[in-house]
Amino acid sequence: MTFATRLNAAILRTGSVTCVGLDPRLAQLPKPLRDLVTGDRKDLAAAAYTQFCCEIIDVVADLVPCVKPQAAFFEQLGPAGMVSLGEVISHANRAGLIVITDGKRNDIGSTATAYADAYLGSSEPNRSPWGSDSLTVSPYLGRDSLEPFVEVCDLRAAGIFVLVKTSNPGGGYLQDLSVDGKTIYQSVAELVTELNRPRLDADGYGPVGAVVGATYPEQLVELRKAMPHSILLVPGFGAQGGSADDVRAALDANGTGAVVNSSRHIIFAHKREEFSVAADESNWQDAVRAATLQMNEQLKG
Ligand SMILES: O=c1ccn([C@@H]2O[C@H](COP(=O)(O)O)[C@@H](O)[C@H]2O)c(=O)[nH]1
């Protein structure tokens, strides 16, 4: 089964398009986990990140199709953090969740192949060392930098999400520039569609997904039409201000074809007043589950 087929099937099975972002930050961990970390001990912080993310995975595994570990927060801890990232991805694999590793990788073609070999694929016998099902990638180095990823996607039934229109306020500095009558993000969208066209599944989706921010709802409508074969990864919901109304256009007529990421609003829900937890934050997992259920409901409404 291709990556797109698996992700759309997981959306239908869970009845959810929520993607839970795993972005651990030491200062915001629930108190019982923060207390495990003394001084500047990166090994202890990494162990706390593993426990935190694995418990989140356990709490949301029956509610959502996928999780998105953000590599940056693990890399911050050095080698111990990378071990933690590997453990978190393996735990998500075992829980049956599709893993989108958010690493925003890319380089010249020969190096892109190494990134693709490293991060993509979870199907035997070509299991990748990281075991993620998909990876976010930058299009900045051009078509020949994306093709090695697509080739590995073909071999391993994996997927990529190309940065097309990002959620941050400054993304338009390059993405909205007009060249030859179209914006850079429109050109990237065309490239994404070209790469997908020869490799569509029965539902018309290919392995080349696209990142389009919830914070740009008008462009989301435009880009859904421009990339009919791409699963959209839509970050920017919740903490960055994106709402359910903003993201609805990302979905196809079957309610599939897109996943909406929320990181801080879900994983640090114990900090949100509406999800009150005990003073010692010992039941922080209840807040994570409640916030996930709330997001599922909002996206259905
Ligand atoms: O355009 C983009 C691409 C990636 N991200 C990443 O998604 C999450 C968002 O976290 P929140 O806490 O829900 O704001 C984070 O890992 C970003 O690096 C994005 O926000 N926008």
Side-chain angles (χ1 to χ4, degrees):
M1 238 199 276
T2 69
F3 171 72
T5 308
R6 282 191 294 135
L7 185 48
N8 279 330
I11 290 170
L12 291 173
R13 176 172 45 78
T14 56
S16 167
V17 293
T18 300
C19 173
V20 175
L22 301 173
D23 298 30
R25 291 164 166 88
L26 189 52
Q28 278 148 308
L29 291 187
K31 194 171 175 332
L33 293 174
R34 243 180 18 246
D35 287 350
L36 300 174
V37 186
T38 50
D40 189 28
R41 292 276 303 273
K42 302 272 188 284
D43 56 333
L44 296 181
Y49 281 14
T50 302
Q51 191 178 334
F52 178 58
C53 293
C54 290
E55 289 198 46
I56 291 169
I57 287 165
D58 292 343
V59 161
V60 304
D62 63 325
L63 302 181
V64 300
C66 55
V67 288
K68 182 178 77 64
Q70 171 54 264
F73 293 103
F74 298 89
E75 289 174 17
Q76 256 187 335
L77 298 179
M82 298 313 268
V83 171
S84 169
L85 176 61
E87 288 167 352
V88 168
I89 292 174
S90 295
H91 196 76
N93 291 158
R94 286 193 295 272
L97 287 165
I98 289 177
V99 176
I100 302 169
T101 299
D102 197 350
K104 302 188 181 67
R105 298 299 196 259
N106 214 345
D107 208 310
I108 61 165
S110 52
T111 310
T113 302
Y115 275 134
D117 280 344
Y119 279 99
L120 295 178
S122 57
S123 51
E124 301 293 353
N126 289 322
R127 192 173 171 79
S128 88
W130 287 100
S132 56
D133 300 286
S134 61
L135 178 69
T136 57
V137 300
S138 164
Y140 196 70
L141 283 88
R143 185 185 184 114
D144 62 334
S145 74
L146 292 175
E147 280 165 345
F149 286 98
V150 179
E151 282 162 24
V152 173
C153 288
D154 288 344
L155 278 175
R156 298 181 180 169
I160 54 172
F161 290 93
V162 177
L163 300 177
V164 175
K165 177 74 186 151
T166 58
S167 66
N168 56 316
Y173 176 71
L174 289 177
Q175 294 159 17
D176 294 355
L177 280 184
S178 229
V179 182
D180 292 340
K182 53 188 165 197
T183 62
I184 299 286
Y185 75 75
Q186 287 166 340
S187 296
V188 176
E190 280 179 15
L191 173 57
V192 161
T193 296
E194 266 175 50
L195 290 169
N196 266 334
R197 212 169 270 130
R199 25 180 75 85
L200 303 182
D201 70 4
D203 298 317
Y205 285 100
V208 188
V211 174
V212 183
T215 45
Y216 294 100
E218 282 172 28
Q219 286 86 349
L220 187 54
V221 173
E222 174 196 349
L223 288 166
R224 174 70 288 169
K225 289 195 188 107
M227 296 181 290
H229 310 304
S230 290
I231 305 255
L232 302 184
L233 168 61
V234 185
F237 184 90
Q240 294 177 50
S243 69
D245 285 344
D246 292 331
V247 302
R248 223 157 260 132
L251 303 177
D252 63 21
N254 301 323
T256 60
V259 288
V260 180
N261 180 80
S262 179
S263 306
R264 286 166 286 180
H265 259 202
I266 288 185
I267 67 174
F268 302 130
H270 61 280
K271 302 264 184 216
R272 291 168 64 188
E273 272 179 23
E274 64 201 286
F275 304 117
S276 56
V277 292
D280 63 1
E281 298 179 348
S282 56
N283 61 338
W284 62 273
Q285 301 91 338
D286 296 344
V288 169
R289 192 166 171 91
T292 308
L293 285 166
Q294 182 196 63
M295 181 164 163
N296 279 350
E297 279 312 304
Q298 287 169 343
L299 292 173
K300 269 181 205 152

